[in-house]
Amino acid sequence: MFLWKLSMVVFALLLAPMLCADPQPAAAVGLPASAAQAAPAFDVKAATDAYLATVPLDKKARSDAYFEGGYWLQLWDFLIGVVIAIFMLQSRLSVRMRDWAARISSWWGIRILIYFVQFLLFTTVVQFPMAIYEGYIREHKYGLATQTFGPWMRDQLVGLGVGAVLGGVAVVGLYWIVGRLGKNWWIWGAAAGVVFQAIVILIAPVYIAPLFNTFHKLQDPKIKDPILSMARANGIPATDVYEVDASKQSTRVSAYVSGFLGSERIVLNDNLLNRCSPEEIQSVMGHEMGHYVLHHIYKDLLFDTVLFFIGFAFLNWGMHWGLARWGERWGAREITDVAALPLAVLLLSIFFFVLTPITNSWTRTQEYEADIFGLNAARQPDGEALVDLKLGDYRKLDPTPMEEILFYDHPSGRTRITAAMRWKAENMAVLPPGTNLGGPR
Ligand SMILES: [Zn+2]
């Protein structure tokens, strides 16, 4: 009796793999019988390695150097910001700015605004050499920039103007809340911060982005038709796909989704449209549609809400702690005193700097979701792999796992190509006729 049972178990174990390899399940869902046999022949890791190996070594070294240099730039930018804030407080420059603003206007709101404009101009001027190196010299050195200095400078000034308007509104609003709402100001401050950010996201595609670039609806029917078909298939209004003249500033291949509550749009940049095959463009479009359909902008706002409340609680604590310790020396003892603004900026920049790996991981996870959505929507795993290699112009392709967690706001080339090749291995039978069933060509 026991032996019989045992033999049944052994039989079942032996049979199980055979059942799995049986083409019947594939045939049952209308797939060709070859589906199950084809899958094991495709080695995901080998295909991924083969794609990565197509990048010439000197090009890879250059992209690695560019991206790794970015790690240090993040640290330097943070440290420069810290030094500037401490200098403004310790030298009492901040107090002098406040007093000067008070001499010009007796109205409270205007005084805050005048202080903020001085603050913005001073920090921008001090950080300007670094901005030139980072945004102009270095981008040219790595062949990523297309602008001459004049137009670049024009963009910087427009950016400064936008920062002055938006920052001015935010700072006046916050000091109003701090002055009126007392001890619990930080709760209302965080709530107002979230609403303010939502408004900026809402208006950015229509009022801010066009200050830098020209947008128009996608034109070329060869590219447009499959993309709009894919958009319709995924429930995206076809009017929401735009092309932007990003080649004005850069050689980077890119695309994004912006806006919300009706201002949403998918924007493909002209570098992508000019440098990529229709298969590659479709894979990018599938990815962007993922952001759209998965409501990543709304989820971002929710995540930011959590961050804002924690950040403002930290800000409230830090302001009281810092002003109690050094307020006398700085000439700014009250949290309501705008001369303490550099401390607030310092505290928030520490908060967001420390949280970088977490915010990066949040974004990277969404990007990975969009990748998976895109593979299913566009069904272009090789297009995806080829675009991932092009993104390797400015993003290190093959980092260590820890590097990816700490520094990457998008998955690395290796992670993305692996996902594409894994998708391909499992979908061999349903790929359209004529698809390359091997590795890179
Ligand atoms: Zn994305």
Side-chain angles (χ1 to χ4, degrees):
M1 194 65 178
F2 174 72
L3 274 178
W4 178 78
K5 267 192 173 168
L6 187 68
S7 64
M8 280 300 283
V9 170
V10 171
F11 180 65
L13 284 173
L14 285 174
L15 196 64
M18 281 194 261
L19 284 173
C20 292
D22 191 289
Q24 207 54 40
V29 290
L31 303 184
S34 61
Q37 284 111 28
F42 188 86
D43 184 336
V44 174
K45 184 166 185 311
T48 305
D49 287 340
Y51 264 117
L52 290 169
T54 59
V55 180
L57 283 178
D58 61 323
K59 217 180 145 195
K60 185 177 178 298
R62 203 162 76 136
S63 147
D64 288 1
Y66 175 76
F67 199 74
E68 286 164 15
Y71 306 161
W72 291 102
L73 283 179
Q74 286 176 50
L75 179 65
W76 285 118
D77 287 338
F78 167 70
L79 291 176
I80 290 170
V82 168
V83 169
I84 292 174
I86 293 175
F87 170 79
M88 289 184 81
L89 294 166
Q90 287 282 7
S91 68
R92 291 205 171 206
L93 175 66
S94 185
V95 170
R96 286 204 295 278
M97 286 178 172
R98 176 199 65 195
D99 293 346
W100 191 71
R103 280 203 296 277
I104 291 182
S105 174
S106 57
W107 194 62
W108 165 88
I110 298 289
R111 287 206 311 257
I112 301 268
L113 205 57
I114 294 171
Y115 171 89
F116 175 69
V117 170
Q118 296 176 79
F119 174 89
L120 188 67
L121 286 178
F122 177 76
T123 51
T124 305
V125 168
V126 174
Q127 286 170 307
F128 196 58
M130 191 64 170
I132 292 181
Y133 169 70
E134 208 170 314
Y136 187 79
I137 299 173
R138 187 167 181 265
E139 292 295 299
H140 275 279
K141 186 180 143 198
Y142 284 98
L144 295 169
T146 54
Q147 265 176 324
T148 52
F149 192 75
W152 180 81
M153 194 60 208
R154 179 243 167 228
D155 279 359
Q156 300 304 302
L157 290 172
V158 173
L160 185 64
V162 172
V165 172
L166 294 180
V169 171
V171 168
V172 171
L174 268 179
Y175 275 95
W176 185 85
I177 289 172
V178 173
R180 296 296 145 95
L181 298 170
K183 250 177 74 171
N184 289 330
W185 74 271
W186 62 274
I187 297 173
W188 297 102
V194 172
V195 171
F196 183 72
Q197 199 191 4
I199 293 171
V200 173
I201 295 173
L202 186 70
I203 64 167
V206 186
Y207 295 104
I208 300 176
L211 297 173
F212 301 92
N213 289 93
T214 310
F215 293 77
H216 52 77
K217 300 245 167 86
L218 211 53
Q219 301 294 330
D220 183 357
K222 251 201 349 259
I223 293 166
K224 192 175 83 174
D225 292 347
I227 281 180
L228 293 189
S229 159
M230 204 199 307
R232 285 192 298 273
N234 288 281
I236 297 170
T239 50
D240 294 358
V241 184
Y242 284 78
E243 177 184 340
V244 58
D245 61 342
S247 59
K248 205 175 122 185
Q249 286 104 350
S250 148
T251 61
R252 293 163 188 242
V253 163
S254 180
Y256 63 89
V257 178
S258 66
F260 89 128
L261 291 183
S263 74
E264 294 108 324
R265 52 178 67 180
I266 292 176
V267 182
L268 305 175
N269 87 13
D270 58 348
N271 293 320
L272 174 84
L273 297 170
N274 296 333
R275 285 179 58 194
C276 296
S277 68
E279 291 76 19
E280 292 169 60
I281 295 169
Q282 284 167 38
S283 84
V284 172
M285 185 64 193
H287 170 100
E288 299 308 327
M289 288 193 319
H291 286 310
Y292 192 113
V293 172
L294 300 170
H295 298 304
H296 281 165
I297 288 177
Y298 295 87
K299 289 172 186 168
D300 275 345
L301 268 174
L302 217 57
F303 178 70
D304 290 347
T305 303
V306 176
L307 277 191
F308 273 48
F309 275 92
I310 300 171
F312 271 73
F314 171 71
L315 179 63
N316 183 44
W317 169 83
M319 291 296 282
H320 285 296
W321 179 79
L323 293 178
R325 260 179 111 92
W326 297 293
E328 195 88 37
R329 188 191 308 174
W330 294 341
R333 263 162 296 177
E334 297 297 324
I335 197 168
T336 50
D337 188 343
V338 74
L341 185 70
L343 177 63
V345 172
L346 172 64
L347 288 164
L348 284 180
S349 69
I350 291 171
F351 178 75
F352 284 105
F353 181 75
V354 170
L355 248 61
T356 306
I358 291 173
T359 49
N360 275 349
S361 291
W362 168 268
T363 316
R364 197 179 60 252
T365 306
Q366 286 194 332
E367 293 298 334
Y368 184 72
E369 280 177 14
D371 278 356
I372 300 296
F373 185 98
L375 285 166
N376 285 314
R379 306 182 196 112
Q380 297 290 359
D382 292 289
E384 168 73 37
L386 289 168
V387 167
D388 296 336
L389 293 180
K390 290 198 172 81
L391 297 175
D393 286 355
Y394 57 88
R395 191 179 293 128
K396 187 176 176 182
L397 281 166
D398 198 2
T400 64
M402 189 45 80
E403 220 177 339
E404 192 160 345
I405 290 170
L406 290 177
F407 297 114
Y408 279 61
D409 59 3
H410 281 66
S412 69
R414 174 172 289 281
T415 303
R416 300 182 112 166
I417 297 174
T418 301
M421 291 303 104
R422 189 179 58 206
W423 188 94
K424 186 177 173 180
E426 298 298 337
N427 285 275
M428 283 294 193
V430 286
L431 288 170
T435 303
N436 158 34
L437 296 179
R441 280 193 294 201

